Amino acid sequence: MNTHTDWISRAETDADIPVIREINRVAFDTPLEADLVDALRADSAWIPGLSMVAQTPEGTVAGHALLTRCHIDDTPALCLAPVAVLPEYQKTGAGSAAVRAVLDAARSRGEHIVTVLGHPDYYPRFGFTPASGYGIRPTFEVPDEAMMVLGLDDRPLPSGTIHYAAPFGI
């Protein structure tokens, strides 16, 4: 197992697009996430600079994290999905490096809030907390602890329903 701790995180480039597709294809059981990234890249929800990769010092791109536009009722927000790491680099910090980088990029752009539907043992390390505590909910049923939000600034978080970009199909 690789144990890199010196990940280099950066915004994706055009040259990374096929690699990102492959990372998402092999990190999940189906190609749905890889297809989702491609569809989001072509959608108005895409925000240049908010698709981050984590690479080794030798240049191997091993992790990817993506933020795209969603809304909580009428308030602009971001959706963190997907986050993917090549299987041979999982549990080495590549995913965490990509997530931290994309959250920092969003914060530096003045974004306000990020939503994530994910593992309740993983995302709290970045500051995510259950969305229900703020009256924020998706349009579909999910375990309460899996739907989380993160405020990126000091403004109060809005309550309401999360509306995802069309490629999510929800």
Side-chain angles (χ1 to χ4, degrees), residues 12-48:
E12 75 167 37
T13 66
D14 288 347
D16 295 318
I17 292 172
V19 176
I20 290 168
R21 178 167 178 78
E22 182 65 7
I23 290 169
N24 280 280
R25 191 185 67 72
V26 300
F28 296 100
D29 294 335
T30 72
L32 292 176
E33 281 81 4
D35 294 344
L36 174 62
V37 173
D38 291 344
L40 286 166
R41 195 176 275 113
D43 191 84
S44 62
W46 186 265
I47 302 169

Side-chain angles (χ1 to χ4, degrees), residues 41-153:
R41 195 176 275 113
D43 191 84
S44 62
W46 186 265
I47 302 169
L50 294 185
S51 176
M52 293 285 177
V53 297
Q55 70 180 41
T56 67
E58 299 78 32
T60 300
V61 175
H64 176 244
L66 177 62
L67 289 172
T68 53
R69 179 67 63 213
C70 68
H71 289 83
I72 299 172
D73 286 343
D74 293 330
T75 302
L78 296 171
C79 170
L80 176 58
V83 174
V85 176
L86 289 173
E88 62 269 30
Y89 287 97
Q90 290 176 2
K91 301 189 184 319
T92 66
S96 291
V99 169
R100 284 190 185 93
V102 81
L103 292 174
D104 287 347
R107 194 174 285 111
S108 73
R109 292 171 170 263
E111 292 288 346
H112 175 45
I113 184 172
V114 177
T115 67
V116 67
L117 173 59
H119 202 287
D121 291 335
Y122 182 73
Y123 290 97
R125 73 185 68 185
F126 307 105
F128 284 92
T129 58
S132 62
Y134 300 94
I136 298 171
R137 63 200 172 283
T139 57
F140 50 92
E141 290 297 316
V142 297
D144 185 63
E145 66 275 8
M147 187 79 250
M148 295 170 268
V149 295
L150 171 66
L152 297 175
D153 55 29

